[in-house]
Amino acid sequence: MPKVFITGIGFITSIGNDSAAVERSLRELRHGMVAFPPFQRPDIPVKVAAPVRGFNTESHDPEDWTWPEPYKIRREQLRSLSPNGLYASCALAQAAVDARLTEAEISNDGTGLYAASGGSPGMLARLTNRMNEQGVMKCPPLGIVASIAGTVQFNLVAHFKIKGASTGFSSACASSSHAVGFAYDEIALGRQHRMFVVGAEDGNLETILPFAAMRALSLNPDPATASRPFDVARDGFVGTGGATVLVLESEAEMRRRGVEPYGEVAGWGQASDGHNVAISHPNGEGLRAAMERALRASGLTAADLDYINAHGTSTPIGDAAECHALRAALGVEAKRVAISSTKALTGHGLSLAGTMETAFCALALRHGFIPGSAHISRLDPICAGLNIVRVTQSAPLRTVLNNSSGFGGANVSLVLRRA
């Protein structure tokens, strides 16, 4: 089967809006958490979030939005965009430049796009309220395509004139990892020679706050410690938004264009817990199986792994389940393989998490470093026997693995290898 490589990355995140800024944050453990202004009300128990910088999408009228240079968004394009669609448009433009793609290489039958997003709950709520209060004919004509879960691929496929395969994925926090895996399959099976893979979320009050009802969000008001995966005092995740785009290409296409890849997507695996609609299997059974399948599909074993970017959201149950899964999947290698959760820096991006953290792994492969797992004051005893790396280390990496888990017990593991 043809090999598949990552040749371009675009970031709009809480820790930076380009690869250089993101790498600097990962190396220096700079987090993106703030006391989030929309949460500073007495009726909201959650106080911290990790917003993107340089964008203002607070207005209900997209024509009032602002975004940084050098991105150009046409007025007619804005009418069908949600905030996550704006972030994704900018990240895709950035990734295309990073991969040195021409317009003809972006728009052709051999280039497709897979995306993941939860849609725009705030926009959808406003649209529904307006319909009920003023009548449906008072609603904006493009309100549906701007707000429902497929909004990212609808807009990007149209605006970038994508002519290959396109669809969206909805498996909650595993969504964009599923998108990466199936995009890999498209190329490895010879159906496409290039795929854009997109993860994006609004990261605003309406996207994040509903998780408080599940008791899933941190109630810690201190931005410096609210997100602390694997710490004994962790009490939930911190929400974030933004977008990350990966460019995946076949080896033949990469060589034809003469570009240097970040790394190879060696394989992937997925499995389900079959346990609970919202809570991970206590022993991490599905995640263990996903990791084992990913390694098997890649022709590798745990002995080949150097680093794992854990799902590690900073929830008490989720982190504990992942620790069980890691010990089971790694076996005798558990004490050696470096493990960290970069969500200590970014917060949890929901559908965005998989592409964002796969891109972090790609940066680590190319530049030779292991991001530390920040904000751990006291390591939870549940992590016993695992090599949780608490400071960033310089290290030549050969093989890394990224984990993602979502509602319904969906688990995805992606393996990247140095090119």
Side-chain angles (χ1 to χ4, degrees):
M1 292 174 66
K3 291 184 177 180
V4 178
F5 294 85
I6 298 172
T7 60
I9 297 174
F11 287 113
I12 303 295
T13 76
S14 65
I15 61 168
N17 290 344
D18 57 55
S19 291
V22 167
E23 182 185 347
R24 188 161 55 249
S25 293
L26 293 173
R27 286 183 178 273
E28 299 175 6
L29 301 186
R30 296 183 184 179
H31 69 80
M33 320 300 169
V34 299
F36 193 44
F39 289 172
Q40 308 312 306
R41 291 171 15 195
D43 60 325
I44 296 180
V46 179
K47 301 303 177 187
V48 176
V52 299
R53 275 67 164 181
F55 292 77
N56 187 332
T57 59
E58 293 180 4
S59 173
H60 294 176
D61 184 350
E63 292 191 21
D64 294 333
W65 294 351
T66 61
W67 53 89
E69 294 288 345
Y71 304 110
K72 306 296 183 185
I73 308 293
R74 298 188 307 274
R75 181 177 177 181
E76 60 269 26
Q77 183 179 350
L78 279 172
R79 294 170 181 162
S80 61
L81 287 180
S82 60
N84 67 73
L86 174 62
Y87 304 145
S89 296
C90 296
L92 195 149
Q94 183 187 142
V97 170
D98 188 45
R100 292 165 37 195
L101 294 172
T102 66
E103 287 187 13
E105 288 166 336
I106 293 170
S107 179
N108 61 77
D109 292 345
T111 299
L113 182 148
Y114 285 170
S117 167
S120 184
M123 291 188 77
L124 187 58
R126 289 192 294 273
L127 179 67
T128 304
N129 290 340
R130 186 169 180 174
M131 179 181 69
N132 291 334
E133 293 169 4
Q134 300 180 36
V136 68
M137 302 311 290
K138 296 292 186 181
C139 294
L142 296 177
I144 287 292
V145 295
S147 60
I148 64 174
T151 183
V152 170
Q153 70 265 19
F154 302 158
N155 279 280
L156 297 186
V157 167
H159 297 142
F160 288 90
K161 303 187 185 309
I162 302 297
K163 296 180 178 178
S166 69
T167 193
F169 290 81
S170 183
S171 50
C173 307
S175 298
S176 60
S177 285
H178 271 123
V180 174
F182 283 104
Y184 164 89
D185 287 352
E186 284 291 318
I187 298 171
L189 293 171
R191 295 170 177 161
Q192 302 277 250
H193 56 246
R194 181 182 301 106
M195 294 292 296
F196 291 101
V197 188
V198 188
E201 292 285 3
D202 283 357
N204 53 17
L205 183 147
E206 293 89 350
T207 303
I208 299 169
L209 191 58
F211 289 91
M214 299 181 69
R215 311 303 191 265
L217 295 180
S218 174
L219 302 183
N220 182 347
D222 181 2
T225 59
S227 183
R228 43 183 164 179
F230 307 123
D231 188 277
V232 71
R234 68 189 183 277
D235 70 331
F237 74 81
V238 172
T240 192
T244 300
V245 176
L246 300 169
V247 180
L248 272 54
E249 295 191 79
S250 67
E251 182 175 22
E253 187 67 5
M254 177 194 73
R255 294 193 183 283
R256 180 191 71 78
R257 299 195 310 109
V259 295
E260 179 188 356
Y262 286 86
E264 178 192 354
V265 182
W268 73 292
Q270 62 170 320
S272 302
D273 287 342
H275 171 66
N276 185 278
V277 69
I279 300 173
S280 300
H281 188 286
N283 293 326
E285 289 295 324
L287 186 55
R288 172 196 57 77
M291 286 187 277
E292 291 173 350
R293 291 173 184 177
L295 289 169
R296 189 161 57 247
S298 305
L300 302 170
T301 69
D304 298 303
L305 287 176
D306 297 312
Y307 167 62
I308 293 176
N309 187 297
H311 183 59
T313 61
S314 192
T315 62
I317 293 174
D319 288 9
E322 186 165 15
C323 286
H324 289 301
L326 288 164
R327 277 191 294 269
L330 294 176
V332 296
E333 303 294 333
K335 293 184 178 180
R336 176 190 63 81
V337 178
I339 299 165
S340 70
S341 172
T342 49
K343 290 185 180 72
L345 305 177
T346 62
H348 185 11
L350 309 174
S351 297
L352 158 65
T355 49
M356 180 166 64
E357 290 158 16
T358 299
F360 293 166
C361 289
L363 286 179
L365 270 177
R366 173 179 275 188
H367 298 294
F369 70 98
I370 297 169
S373 207
H375 308 154
I376 298 175
S377 296
R378 181 182 166 206
L379 192 65
D380 192 327
I382 198 71
C383 303
L386 296 173
N387 181 20
I388 307 294
V389 177
R390 294 161 70 169
V391 296
T392 297
Q393 302 175 358
S394 294
L397 300 175
R398 301 164 301 158
T399 309
V400 303
L401 181 147
N402 181 51
N403 281 335
S404 295
S405 299
F407 285 152
N411 301 278
V412 179
S413 296
L414 299 159
V415 178
L416 305 185
R417 183 162 45 200
R418 189 166 61 198

